[in-house]
Amino acid sequence: MADGAPLLACYNSSETLDSLENQRPAATTIDGTLERYVDGNCRSSQLLQAIFVSLAWAFDAQQTFISVFTDAEPAWHCTAATCPSFGSTPCGLPPGSWAWDFPEDASVMSEWSLQCAGSAVVGLPASAYFAGCLIGGLLLSTLADTVLGRKTMLFFSCFTMSLSAALTAVSPNLWAYAAMRFLCGCGRATVGTSSLVLSTEMVGKRWREKVSISSFFCFTLGFLSLPALAYLNRGASWRTLYLWTSIPCFFYSVLIYFWINESPRWLLVRGRRDEAIQALKRMAAANGRNNAITSSFSKLIVEENASDVGVFSAMKMLWEKRWALRRLLATMIAGFGLGLLYYGMPLNVGNLGSDLYLSVTFNALAELPSSLITLFLIGRVNRRSTTVAFATASGAFSFLCVAVTAEPWQMAAELASFFSACTAFGFLLIYCIELFPTCVRNSAIAMLRQAVVLGGVLAPMLVAEGRKRNFISFGVFGVVVCSCGMFVACLPETRGRSMCDTMEEEESKQMMNAS
């Protein structure tokens, strides 16, 4: 079958899959076998499941950016006629000479009287969250490639994220709050990775790029929902915002467990052939095909040693293969630069002096055209050159934020920089899916996202310094994203390629391209 054929071409109800097998050449690879048995053309139910899996990104976005509102310093006002001016914070004012505009429990800052606390204390919950993302990613990411699989890992991640977010709402003090944010970060660490890999492995080449981009739309949806929820919640307790975001995520994780199928591609790579057949039967039944799927995988060649399934076996394979390690390092360096700007720009809009709700909404809206542009371009342009171009554009607009002083133009340049970074990141994620075979794909994307999170850990420090000098934030963002983005130029182009499943298959494809 040609690489361009959709997964699971439509077939007549009178035909059985056995008869189709007799009419076609025997498939000897996992990709070739799945191209015949996973319905890509008849699609409706299968695409619905894949898009539902992508919805995990919405909850990921909510937990990532929720602290922008829950941990913000509320507005305040003087209550005494002789209230002295101490700048933008009430720290140091005599008791009784000022008051918060909203109830004390509207923000973490006001409830626990953190207006005079140091930046390390104030930023502890956000730092704990990103630290949890780093540690959780390092400890859990390989489980989706080895022991647990994509579906179980996604369920576990979403369930942990929802439970810890709910417990955050009952935190008695700042330290318990930071601990719950750390646990939430650990759970969140593998949500986006497991969701992206599972959704793309559930469909064929015809739909893979579109399903990938649906994840970005879902992230935008989650990001956009936050300022709306926070605005509706203004004046109420910050704890309510955590409940509003945790309860839907809990029910979503339950639906993932009972409704979504495990990736047949992963099951086959792990040598679990019978389970793969059962998953394919459920997919066929969901698409209205009642034909019996028999054990017709006898001619399938699975080259991976399914018995060697240690927790870190996927990382070991990435480390031992020099070509895989080069690809991993290049994508991680590029991801670090994009992550620094991606997380830093929304945090830095406060330094522009604009309205917080409006600024966050504009940044969230910038992700929508980014996803549309990615959807339009992904099948038409090369991954390598496009990623480099958008990363460079992001850095250039970041420099422009330093050069211009008028607030509207600064805001426009900031949005253009954020839009370019979002687009470059979208291309890089899809690029990474195609660069690595199934046996290590989840681990490779998890490491890329770890690099992005590392950029997010460093971003708040630059934002804090940027309150004094714009160049420390916007200028450094521009230098880093331009420099790191250039590492993508050393990667091989993957446009139009089918996905490989084993390291040996990827190496064979490299040798064929070289010859």
Side-chain angles (χ1 to χ4, degrees), residues 292-351:
I293 297 180
T294 61
S295 300
S296 54
F297 292 84
S298 57
K299 296 180 182 179
L300 176 65
I301 299 174
V302 182
E303 300 180 22
E304 293 295 328
N305 183 4
S307 63
D308 183 19
V309 192
V311 173
F312 295 103
S313 61
M315 293 304 301
K316 182 180 178 182
M317 284 188 280
L318 285 169
W319 181 264
E320 290 177 342
K321 300 290 185 180
R322 295 184 64 181
W323 60 266
L325 183 59
R326 285 196 298 268
R327 293 182 186 185
L328 182 63
L329 291 176
T331 54
M332 287 180 66
I333 292 171
F336 170 78
L338 291 170
L340 184 71
L341 193 142
Y342 180 81
Y343 289 115
M345 279 298 185
L347 294 174
N348 208 31
V349 292
N351 293 342

Side-chain angles (χ1 to χ4, degrees), residues 406-468:
E407 183 180 314
W409 294 109
Q410 263 193 333
M411 190 66 193
E414 187 271 336
L415 289 173
S417 179
F418 185 70
F419 161 81
S420 300
C422 290
T423 309
F425 182 50
F427 269 89
L428 184 62
L429 273 177
I430 296 173
Y431 198 6
C432 194
I433 290 173
E434 299 170 346
L435 280 170
F436 296 93
T438 302
C439 59
V440 296
R441 185 174 296 125
N442 201 90
S443 298
I445 296 177
M447 294 306 296
L448 167 60
R449 285 173 62 85
Q450 288 299 94
V452 173
V453 170
L454 181 60
V457 171
L458 299 179
M461 304 176 191
L462 294 175
V463 170
E465 290 298 320
R467 292 168 186 162
K468 306 169 186 175

Side-chain angles (χ1 to χ4, degrees), residues 183-423:
L183 181 61
C184 187
C186 288
R188 176 263 174 190
T190 53
V191 168
T193 304
S194 302
S195 170
L196 181 64
V197 174
L198 177 58
S199 63
T200 53
E201 290 182 355
M202 292 173 69
V203 297
K205 183 180 176 183
R206 172 185 171 89
W207 297 101
R208 189 171 66 228
E209 295 166 349
K210 297 177 179 63
V211 167
S212 299
I213 295 166
S214 72
S215 300
F216 308 153
F217 278 108
C218 290
F219 192 89
T220 304
L221 176 66
F223 197 176
L224 271 174
S225 68
L226 266 180
L229 289 173
Y231 186 78
L232 292 173
N233 195 62
R234 69 191 188 282
S237 173
W238 58 270
R239 302 171 189 271
T240 308
L241 194 57
Y242 276 103
L243 290 177
W244 281 6
T245 56
S246 63
I247 293 174
C249 185
F250 171 78
F251 286 108
Y252 172 82
S253 63
V254 173
L255 287 173
I256 285 288
Y257 184 81
F258 287 104
W259 184 42
I260 300 301
N261 296 304
E262 180 57 272
S263 164
R265 186 183 293 270
W266 177 80
L267 290 170
L268 287 171
V269 168
R270 292 271 65 94
R272 295 158 65 172
R273 206 166 300 190
D274 293 339
E275 293 177 61
I277 293 172
Q278 292 303 315
L280 290 169
K281 283 183 178 180
R282 289 190 293 271
M283 289 181 183
N287 284 294
R289 305 297 176 183
N290 297 318
N291 307 70
I293 297 180
T294 61
S295 300
S296 54
F297 292 84
S298 57
K299 296 180 182 179
L300 176 65
I301 299 174
V302 182
E303 300 180 22
E304 293 295 328
N305 183 4
S307 63
D308 183 19
V309 192
V311 173
F312 295 103
S313 61
M315 293 304 301
K316 182 180 178 182
M317 284 188 280
L318 285 169
W319 181 264
E320 290 177 342
K321 300 290 185 180
R322 295 184 64 181
W323 60 266
L325 183 59
R326 285 196 298 268
R327 293 182 186 185
L328 182 63
L329 291 176
T331 54
M332 287 180 66
I333 292 171
F336 170 78
L338 291 170
L340 184 71
L341 193 142
Y342 180 81
Y343 289 115
M345 279 298 185
L347 294 174
N348 208 31
V349 292
N351 293 342
L352 299 178
S354 52
D355 179 79
L356 179 62
Y357 294 100
L358 195 59
S359 299
V360 175
T361 301
F362 282 154
N363 276 269
L365 286 172
E367 293 212 36
L368 186 59
S370 168
S371 299
L372 291 172
I373 288 291
T374 306
L375 178 62
F376 177 76
L377 293 179
I378 194 66
R380 296 173 170 83
V381 297
N382 292 340
R383 280 79 165 112
R384 179 173 54 196
S385 56
T386 307
T387 304
V388 171
F390 276 107
T392 304
S394 180
F397 283 117
S398 187
F399 289 134
L400 192 60
C401 291
V402 181
V404 298
T405 55
E407 183 180 314
W409 294 109
Q410 263 193 333
M411 190 66 193
E414 187 271 336
L415 289 173
S417 179
F418 185 70
F419 161 81
S420 300
C422 290
T423 309

Side-chain angles (χ1 to χ4, degrees), residues 1 3 28-29 303 323 327 492-493 497-498 500 503-515:
M1 177 177 287
D3 285 341
T28 57
T29 65
E303 300 180 22
W323 60 266
R327 293 182 186 185
E493 182 55 50
R497 278 184 28 172
S498 59
C500 294
M503 303 297 273
E504 289 78 6
E505 188 181 344
E506 179 66 34
E507 289 171 346
S508 298
K509 186 166 289 187
Q510 288 183 61
M511 288 188 289
M512 288 176 61
N513 292 336
S515 61

Side-chain angles (χ1 to χ4, degrees), residues 63 66-67 71 108 112 124-133 157 159-189 238-239 242 246:
Q63 293 306 319
I66 193 171
S67 60
D71 299 6
V108 169
W112 291 323
L124 178 63
S127 298
Y129 175 79
F130 284 112
C133 292
S157 300
F159 181 80
T160 303
M161 186 170 67
S162 63
L163 180 62
S164 56
L167 291 175
T168 302
V170 295
S171 301
N173 52 54
L174 180 67
W175 311 109
Y177 176 54
M180 288 300 100
R181 293 303 289 157
F182 176 83
L183 181 61
C184 187
C186 288
R188 176 263 174 190
W238 58 270
R239 302 171 189 271
Y242 276 103
S246 63

